[in-house]
Amino acid sequence: MNTNLPERSPDYLNPIPSDHPLYSISVICQSKLLLRQEIPASDEEFQELIKKQYIQEVPGIDETVIGHVCRRCGNQSHHWFGKIPQGRTQAVYCRKCIEMGRVSTFEPLYRWTGPEMPCPKVENPCQWDGRLTKFQEAASEKIKAAMADREQLLVWAVCGAGKTEMLFAGLTDAITRGDRICLATPRADVVRELVPRFRQAFPDVTISALYGGSEEKKEGAQLVISTTHQLLRFEEAFDVMIIDEVDAFPYHADKSLSFASERARRTSSSLIYLTATPRKGLKWKARLQWIPVVFVPARYHGYPLPIPHFVSTFRLAKHFSKDTLPKAIQAWIQKKHGQQRRFLLFVPTIEMAENLSKITGIDRVDAADPDRIDKIEGYRRGEMNALITTTILERGVTFPSIDVAVIDAGHNVFDEAALVQIAGRSGRNAADPDGDVVFFHQGLTKGMKGARKMIAMMNRLARRN
């Protein structure tokens, strides 16, 4: 860290006026850790910001007695560091977060240390006029209190419980207080799903959508809806942090993402976890009362979750090699076409998606598909009755009146949480709550049995209450 900083400018404590040439740069940089190339300033402007101590240089990589630590993603694993020649020596760089630009021992980060621009205090910002169920109302009150008291809360709500609407009352108070809020999720598709709903509910609030390739970025927005990867650029930014789908890949498996979400929170801030399928660690924290929890066992429309049916279909690979399908899968698809029911076919791999698409003529979508967004939106608009998908659509997306089938449900991609989430895509419409869910498998697995057991348990709890 640079310890030879000049004395602070007398202007330091004053926000930069909106008509000042440096204003737009300050909006982009505040509460961020950025590389030099991410700061849109000329060399003269940049030096002026450094001189006034609005921006402070910090090492990109810390060298400690136990090894290197990436200042941006928190990586400490030796195998994620590489070396490149740098003059007569070598620079150490972090490969873990290199997709966001290279951080190395010779490429520092820059932290905004100037005055923060306060968020507006918008009166009556929420225009949503729906009504909450008793379960939703109870969760909404807990969320509102956690946000106001700057505390943590786990919201364990079944798929289709209406988690988004449960947030509205707490967010209304937070926006009225002038809080800055982030709703982060591991999946970009979930960001794209949520943004229009929040813009409709909070039309007078500046909302920014952050994900790779997003064209909806609004610097300095009061409400940021983001993938968890984007949080790697933030520091001490948010009064309210909401992690949606907290159990989803890659968040639960990548320590750098939880590191980033913690750093992006202000010291005094609330942290709300949302999920229908918490992992063991979070369940244990709840049981030990290390984190308060509110449980929502019923869907917003009050109908039970569809219970999956298990159907055995062996020798899938052999069928695919002959461009055929097992009779059970073929019959299910024909039945749905005959009933004019819309459906999703979940498969474990891109290769299987390609094979199934070739055999059935049904379009497919996966993470590598360049037309991914258009296809998903097309399906949402009803332009397709069926779609083959990998796990990218397993959670966080809502399509009314659909049935779902999982092909090769025993594959290790489909763990208990994934299967519960997939089943939860069905029956979400109050006018059509009886969705059909079938798991085609080549042998029952612990994940399949656990998913059905969890869904049945939630339905029992909903009836009991």
Side-chain angles (χ1 to χ4, degrees):
M1 185 180 297
N2 186 354
T3 56
N4 299 312
L5 291 171
E7 292 185 2
R8 289 189 184 280
S9 162
D11 297 332
Y12 168 73
L13 293 176
N14 299 320
I16 298 175
S18 59
D19 58 350
H20 194 283
L22 297 179
Y23 175 79
S24 61
I25 303 171
S26 70
V27 172
I28 292 171
C29 293
Q30 67 171 335
S31 301
K32 299 264 187 70
L33 271 177
L34 299 172
L35 293 164
R36 171 64 182 94
Q37 59 266 32
E38 294 177 304
I39 300 173
S42 65
D43 289 343
E44 292 76 15
E45 291 170 332
F46 187 70
Q47 289 307 317
E48 185 178 352
L49 289 167
I50 292 283
K51 183 180 178 182
K52 290 185 173 182
Q53 293 193 46
Y54 286 152
I55 285 180
Q56 184 184 43
E57 178 183 314
V58 295
I61 306 288
D62 285 326
E63 298 182 67
T64 72
V65 292
I66 59 171
H68 294 96
V69 180
C70 176
R71 185 69 76 99
R72 183 168 60 189
C73 72
N75 169 46
Q76 300 181 39
S77 300
H78 177 73
H79 69 277
W80 279 112
F81 289 107
K83 292 182 178 179
I84 50 174
Q86 185 70 36
R88 295 181 178 178
T89 182
Q90 287 185 316
V92 175
Y93 69 99
C94 181
R95 294 190 290 114
K96 177 80 174 172
C97 57
I98 197 168
E99 288 185 358
M100 306 184 81
R102 191 175 64 196
V103 173
S104 77
T105 45
F106 282 84
E107 288 157 303
L109 292 165
Y110 294 93
R111 161 194 288 153
W112 179 256
T113 52
E116 298 279 333
M117 278 164 287
C119 289
K121 297 179 180 180
V122 183
E123 295 293 332
N124 302 315
C126 185
Q127 299 301 309
W128 183 71
D129 60 359
R131 297 185 62 181
L132 299 177
T133 66
K134 65 175 184 177
F135 292 113
Q136 289 177 313
E137 186 67 41
S140 176
E141 288 299 318
K142 293 272 189 184
I143 292 169
K144 189 163 64 173
M147 289 182 181
D149 297 337
R150 306 300 196 218
E151 292 182 345
Q152 296 189 34
L153 179 67
L154 166 62
V155 181
W156 183 352
V158 298
C159 300
K163 294 192 294 292
T164 301
E165 288 76 13
M166 292 179 221
L167 295 171
F168 286 167
L171 292 179
T172 297
D173 284 0
I175 292 165
T176 305
R177 287 192 299 269
D179 287 353
R180 196 173 187 207
I181 302 148
C182 179
L183 194 164
T185 172
R187 305 288 178 87
D189 291 306
V190 179
V191 176
R192 288 189 283 268
E193 165 104 3
L194 290 176
V195 167
R197 295 171 65 184
F198 276 88
R199 287 194 173 139
Q200 185 175 21
F202 297 96
D204 298 325
V205 177
T206 310
I207 299 175
S208 182
L210 301 183
Y211 54 87
S214 171
E215 297 179 352
E216 302 177 87
K217 298 177 181 177
K218 293 184 179 179
E219 300 293 348
Q222 184 165 14
L223 174 54
V224 174
I225 302 177
S226 167
T227 59
T228 47
H229 275 92
Q230 295 293 324
L231 297 182
L232 289 167
R233 292 192 174 95
F234 286 91
E235 181 182 58
E236 289 272 330
F238 301 107
D239 304 289
V240 174
M241 174 65 74
I242 303 163
I243 308 293
D244 193 12
E245 308 294 352
V246 65
D247 63 300
F249 182 84
Y251 187 84
H252 76 87
D254 188 342
K255 290 181 180 177
S256 69
L257 299 180
S258 55
F259 170 85
S261 61
E262 278 295 324
R263 188 185 57 205
R265 297 169 55 201
R266 290 191 170 137
T267 304
S268 175
S269 60
S270 60
L271 177 60
I272 313 292
Y273 293 119
L274 304 178
T275 178
T277 49
R279 302 272 169 181
K280 283 182 180 177
L282 208 48
K283 285 181 184 176
W284 272 110
K285 285 184 179 180
R287 285 172 185 163
L288 295 172
Q289 299 185 340
W290 291 352
I291 181 171
V293 59
V294 58
F295 188 61
V296 185
R299 293 185 139 186
Y300 78 95
H301 52 49
Y303 291 93
L305 294 155
I307 301 290
H309 303 284
F310 296 163
V311 177
S312 58
T313 50
F314 296 101
R315 296 186 292 277
L316 270 175
K318 188 175 180 180
H319 275 283
F320 282 141
S321 68
K322 296 179 179 178
D323 288 344
T324 61
L325 286 176
K327 287 183 180 178
I329 297 176
Q330 197 172 0
W332 190 85
I333 293 173
Q334 288 174 346
K335 180 181 177 183
K336 297 304 162 187
H337 283 314
Q339 295 172 334
Q340 296 188 326
R341 293 283 299 177
R342 302 182 72 228
F343 61 92
L344 287 175
L345 291 169
F346 284 87
V347 293
T349 64
I350 294 176
E351 181 183 9
M352 188 179 285
E354 291 170 345
N355 286 335
L356 191 58
S357 180
K358 185 174 70 174
I359 296 168
T360 61
I362 297 171
D363 208 347
R364 63 182 174 83
V365 66
D366 58 66
D369 190 337
D371 299 322
R372 168 182 176 171
I373 297 174
D374 290 339
K375 287 182 181 178
I376 294 171
E377 287 305 311
Y379 186 72
R380 192 187 308 282
R381 290 192 297 267
E383 295 169 3
M384 295 176 279
N385 284 331
L387 188 63
I388 297 166
T389 177
T390 56
T391 54
I392 62 168
L393 296 183
E394 77 176 21
R395 62 177 71 221
V397 292
T398 297
F399 307 108
S401 295
I402 66 165
D403 297 328
V404 297
V406 183
I407 312 297
D408 198 8
H411 193 283
N412 57 17
V413 165
F414 298 122
D415 60 12
E416 178 182 314
L419 291 171
V420 170
Q421 292 281 357
I422 288 170
R425 298 311 100 201
S426 183
R428 298 171 78 94
N429 190 340
D432 182 23
D434 301 319
D436 181 21
V437 180
V438 59
F439 294 167
F440 294 107
H441 66 91
Q442 302 184 79
L444 291 176
T445 63
K446 187 177 176 181
M448 293 167 59
K449 295 175 185 175
R452 190 156 72 175
K453 185 178 178 182
M454 179 180 284
I455 291 170
M457 181 267 288
M458 290 175 174
N459 285 341
R460 282 197 304 275
L461 287 175
R463 286 195 299 270
R464 188 184 304 168
N465 292 281

